[in-house]
Amino acid sequence: MSEPTHLPFCREKDIDEVLQATTVFSNVSKGTLAKHEDLVDVFGTDDEEKVCRIILAEGDLQVSDKERQLELDSLFKDVASVLSEKCINPDNNKPYTISMLERALKDVHFSVDLHRNAKQQALEALPVLQAKFAIKRALMRLQIQVPKSCKAEAMDLLEKLQADVESRDFSSSQMIVTCLVEPGHFRQIHSFVQQSSEGQGRLEVLSLAAIDDTDSSAAFDSGTPHDLQFPTTNAAAPEAAAATVADPAAARAISNSGFVTPSSALHSLRANPADTSGREESSPGEVVYPRGSISGLPEAHASRKERFVELDDLQPGWEVELRGRKGGTTVDATFYSPTGEPVGAYVNARRAALKASKQNTT
């Protein structure tokens, strides 16, 4: 028998603070009390308070079939949402909609586990989807700044990791490179910057997922997942290890599950204030859709509207602003709660709306 302080459902020492009554039923709906001989046979005692303590310590929490199904459906949609945020179609670098990924997950018979979080299960679902569909993790966009003395080593490392170098700047005493890399290579690059540059280097995450999501509705058919079928390898998805960037201002949280935590602060490229020679300072970019209701999104962003409308279903009053990045075609979305607070990316907004919806129903 466990003491109340060790019970999984509570930390109360007084059992009367946990239960309305210590009466044990064999059938609650019919109001049938448990027989004393049955209690002794099953629990070894007919003391109802002791029996209640045993049930609290060792029993399973029962939920109705309808409540359990709602939790499964919500978690299933969360898994699809994470995949939509972090994965792309490799043929056109565009994301899939949540509804399409839900159909694809059902097509591969993927089942969710209520005891594990959505990010872990999304990482497990990715290689299963890759075996049948054209889908892969989106690359991270990094800015690496090291002394010129490390130039050869840095370029050799990027070539070894098959990084896509977007720009180079050798106009100062520092070499600054902007590149796209697999999330799983983040730790290796981070270690190189820390060890090889003798504290003079800097690694900044410019984008956790470099996705071209402009008019993504044209990237794929809205029919069955079979329309997306494409022969792919069955390689496992790379894992991004948890690490901290040397510069606290550029630090970004990365989960142990392999998925990095999104942040609205990453949606704008930042220049190093200590070195602006030979480079143009980044700006937020042009506003594509000024802050307004999700239902007001234009037809050009129909795929986004399809994804975002769920927020209003969970908690009415959400607003969104679309802003294009300078010098590119990528459009970032920033969300504002019904109270007007900025919450950043869609996954953060959905989490907040889901939490508010559950609070309203309880």
Side-chain angles (χ1 to χ4, degrees):
M1 180 180 70
S2 301
E3 292 299 323
T5 52
H6 299 108
L7 300 182
F9 299 108
C10 70
R11 300 300 177 194
E12 291 287 346
K13 295 183 179 180
D14 186 358
I15 197 170
D16 291 331
E17 295 293 331
V18 180
L19 301 176
Q20 293 180 342
T22 56
T23 305
V24 181
F25 295 84
S26 61
N27 190 315
V28 178
S29 59
K30 294 182 179 180
T32 306
L33 297 177
K35 297 179 180 179
H36 289 283
E37 53 267 27
D38 291 340
L39 293 177
V40 173
D41 187 38
V42 175
F43 299 100
T45 179
D46 61 355
D47 187 323
E48 291 190 332
E49 182 174 329
K50 291 183 178 180
V51 170
C52 288
R53 292 178 182 274
I54 294 174
I55 293 173
L56 286 173
E58 303 175 8
D60 294 325
L61 180 64
Q62 295 182 349
V63 296
S64 66
D65 292 341
K66 184 177 291 186
E67 184 179 2
R68 179 178 175 82
Q69 189 58 48
L70 285 174
E71 292 180 357
L72 287 171
D73 291 344
S74 177
L75 181 58
F76 191 83
K77 187 176 284 290
D78 284 342
V79 171
S81 178
V82 172
L83 288 170
S84 179
E85 289 283 336
K86 300 300 177 188
C87 298
I88 58 171
N89 182 336
D91 297 335
N92 49 35
N93 201 40
K94 294 182 181 292
Y96 290 116
T97 62
I98 294 177
S99 59
M100 178 157 281
L101 285 168
E102 286 182 304
R103 291 197 295 271
L105 288 170
K106 291 176 181 177
D107 194 62
V108 297
H109 307 293
F110 183 80
S111 300
V112 295
D113 183 352
L114 289 176
H115 301 293
R116 303 172 61 218
N117 65 51
K119 292 180 181 178
Q120 291 176 325
Q121 297 186 70
L123 185 61
E124 291 183 356
L126 183 56
V128 179
L129 292 173
Q130 286 177 320
K132 195 169 185 180
F133 308 116
I135 184 173
K136 73 170 187 176
R137 282 286 305 275
L139 301 178
M140 296 178 70
R141 179 176 283 109
L142 304 177
Q143 186 177 86
I144 305 169
Q145 180 177 331
V146 294
K148 282 188 176 180
S149 59
C150 302
K151 172 183 174 182
E153 295 177 70
M155 297 311 297
D156 287 344
L157 176 62
L158 294 179
E159 183 178 356
K160 176 184 175 182
L161 299 179
Q162 298 180 337
D164 182 7
V165 177
E166 295 184 320
S167 66
R168 308 176 191 181
D169 182 3
F170 307 111
S171 59
S172 66
S173 60
Q174 299 276 321
M175 180 191 77
I176 303 174
V177 177
T178 302
C179 60
L180 298 174
V181 299
E182 292 282 352
H185 295 154
F186 178 84
R187 171 176 284 181
Q188 192 171 351
I189 297 175
H190 175 257
S191 298
F192 169 79
V193 172
Q194 280 190 320
Q195 299 170 8
S196 302
S197 61
E198 299 179 351
Q200 300 179 33
R202 177 180 178 182
L203 176 61
E204 183 174 359
V205 180
L206 300 179
S207 176
L208 296 174
I211 294 177
D212 177 12
D213 50 8
T214 55
D215 194 17
S216 58
S217 58
F220 32 72
D221 191 287
S222 60
T224 66
H226 296 286
D227 298 326
L228 303 177
Q229 194 162 344
F230 186 82
T232 61
T233 59
N234 200 14
E239 293 190 4
T244 304
V245 182
D247 180 4
R252 300 292 181 262
I254 303 181
S255 71
N256 291 329
S257 65
F259 282 87
V260 281
T261 306
S263 169
S264 59
L266 300 179
H267 291 318
S268 59
L269 306 187
R270 301 187 304 164
N272 180 9
D275 177 24
T276 57
S277 59
R279 291 189 293 134
E280 181 177 339
E281 186 153 343
S282 301
S283 66
E286 179 185 358
V287 175
V288 177
Y289 176 71
R291 177 177 170 180
S293 65
I294 294 174
S295 59
L297 284 170
E299 191 62 30
H301 300 282
S303 62
R304 285 173 169 268
K305 185 175 181 179
E306 178 188 352
R307 293 166 57 196
F308 300 163
V309 72
E310 182 191 10
L311 296 179
D312 278 337
D313 294 338
L314 294 171
Q315 183 187 23
W318 281 87
E319 293 182 328
V320 63
E321 178 184 80
L322 302 184
R323 187 181 291 270
R325 293 182 188 170
K326 186 176 180 180
T329 59
T330 303
V331 176
D332 293 320
T334 302
F335 291 86
Y336 298 85
S337 70
T339 58
E341 298 177 3
V343 296
Y346 172 74
V347 67
N348 294 338
R350 186 176 184 279
R351 190 178 296 116
L354 191 61
K355 181 179 180 181
S357 176
K358 289 181 178 179
Q359 289 176 345
N360 292 335
T361 56
T362 56

